[in-house]
Amino acid sequence: MPAPTKILLATDLTARGDRPFARAKMLADIWNADRTLLFVNSPKTEVDIAKVEALLLRNYGADAEGCNLAINYGKPAHVIADTAVQLDSDLIIVGAARHNDISDFFLGTAVDHLLHHAAAPVLIVKERPRANYGRILVATDFSDFSAHALRTALEFFPGAKIELVHAYHVAYEAWLKSDGVADEMLSDAEKELQDFMAGMNLSESDASRVTPHLVEGNLHQSVHNMLDTGDFDLLVLGTHGRGGFVMATIGSRASEMMGWSPVDVLMVRKPA
């Protein structure tokens, strides 16, 4: 998946949307990509286009120039997914403000819909952008989904260092006191990691940017601990679209994980 050339940014036209707007502008400049600002309105009221354009200018200034503007009606998650398909968008960007409106739509069932139906990766912007993403954490379970997520991170952000984390579990450790069991589980995980990286068939330069980590225990907690160090500026997770919102790497706690992540989150769905 090459770097995006078409970015779709969902905005509520308020000043607090400045973080996703600024990130979209930064990425568009780096990638030489087109930006479309999407405003989703309630079907019950008609949008005053002149007022929308005035709000854009007031809140975003000259940085709004050169953007395409799309206005649509309906439920935000549905409209965003549909618009991204219609415009052939390569990346969807949304914000993460703590308000009960479009900025907050990604929490709960709405993100289930967006990630189930949106073919493009979804970037949830939480932090004020100060630089391009330089240190990225990718969670893996050695599935095709996480392989696609890693490859996407490498191609989207060619200057970034990537830490790849996999958690393995020592079964029945409370009952099995033998050190040999833990050693065997670690050995199996190391072999899986080796096979996974070999299967990626990365170029020498890409391979040099990836540092793999094996941790024993819970992946959710391990990712939390790693992000808590403040060393990362993006979390990348692979998803698949079977049966609603299911995460290959995180399972049923994915929405919770996106909620507590202190850094931006890129959700990448593997193409069918």
Side-chain angles (χ1 to χ4, degrees):
M1 181 182 287
T5 58
K6 297 178 183 176
I7 296 172
L8 180 66
L9 169 64
T11 178
D12 61 359
L13 301 175
T14 64
R16 67 172 172 261
D18 62 346
R19 293 184 181 192
F21 181 89
R23 178 59 72 181
K25 173 76 167 67
M26 186 180 290
L27 291 173
D29 287 347
I30 292 167
W31 294 331
N32 193 26
D34 291 330
R35 286 174 296 157
T36 296
L37 303 184
L38 172 63
F39 176 61
V40 184
N41 202 56
S42 164
K44 297 174 183 174
T45 57
E46 190 70 24
V47 172
D48 182 336
I49 294 176
K51 187 178 176 183
V52 168
E53 289 174 341
L55 273 172
L56 281 176
L57 198 59
R58 188 171 80 200
N59 290 323
Y60 305 137
D63 283 347
E65 292 175 9
C67 290
N68 303 306
L69 177 62
I71 298 172
N72 219 322
Y73 300 85
K75 293 181 177 178
H78 296 244
V79 172
I80 293 166
D82 291 345
T83 304
V85 170
Q86 290 163 15
L87 298 179
D88 198 24
S89 304
D90 304 308
L91 177 67
I92 298 168
I93 299 180
V94 297
R98 296 206 174 277
H99 299 274
N100 188 25
D101 57 22
I102 188 175
S103 303
D104 194 47
F105 85 93
F106 72 89
L107 296 172
T109 56
V111 76
D112 299 6
H113 180 93
L114 182 59
L115 292 170
H116 184 55
H117 291 89
V122 179
L123 176 63
I124 298 145
V125 176
K126 298 191 165 198
E127 296 190 295
R128 191 175 306 286
R130 305 198 187 282
N132 194 26
Y133 298 121
R135 193 139 179 249
I136 298 171
L137 182 61
V138 180
T140 181
D141 60 351
F142 303 143
S143 67
D144 288 346
F145 306 105
S146 57
H148 182 66
L150 173 58
R151 205 177 299 281
T152 299
L154 285 163
E155 290 173 352
F156 277 19
F157 311 108
K161 295 289 186 186
I162 294 176
E163 309 248 349
L164 184 73
V165 60
H166 172 75
Y168 68 98
H169 184 61
V170 178
Y172 308 114
E173 58 191 348
W175 293 274
L176 300 173
K177 301 298 183 184
S178 167
D179 289 339
V181 174
D183 291 344
E184 190 178 326
M185 297 296 285
L186 174 59
S187 178
D188 288 348
E190 286 172 341
K191 175 70 166 60
E192 278 191 288
L193 176 60
Q194 197 175 357
D195 291 347
F196 177 79
M197 292 304 295
M200 291 292 298
N201 196 28
L202 299 178
S203 68
E204 194 174 323
S205 62
D206 276 351
S208 71
R209 295 197 287 131
V210 180
T211 304
H213 293 275
L214 286 174
V215 292
E216 197 248 304
N218 181 285
L219 180 62
H220 186 277
Q221 188 61 49
S222 299
V223 169
H224 188 288
N225 294 344
M226 291 177 80
L227 292 178
D228 212 32
T229 62
D231 291 339
F232 298 94
D233 39 35
L234 180 67
L235 171 65
V236 177
L237 303 169
T239 74
H240 60 85
R242 288 203 309 266
F245 176 39
V246 185
M247 289 218 43
T249 50
I250 310 301
S252 61
R253 301 180 71 181
S255 289
E256 180 189 342
M257 189 171 216
M258 279 188 292
W260 60 242
S261 173
V263 304
D264 297 358
V265 183
L266 178 66
M267 309 293 293
V268 183
R269 179 181 168 194
K270 188 174 185 290

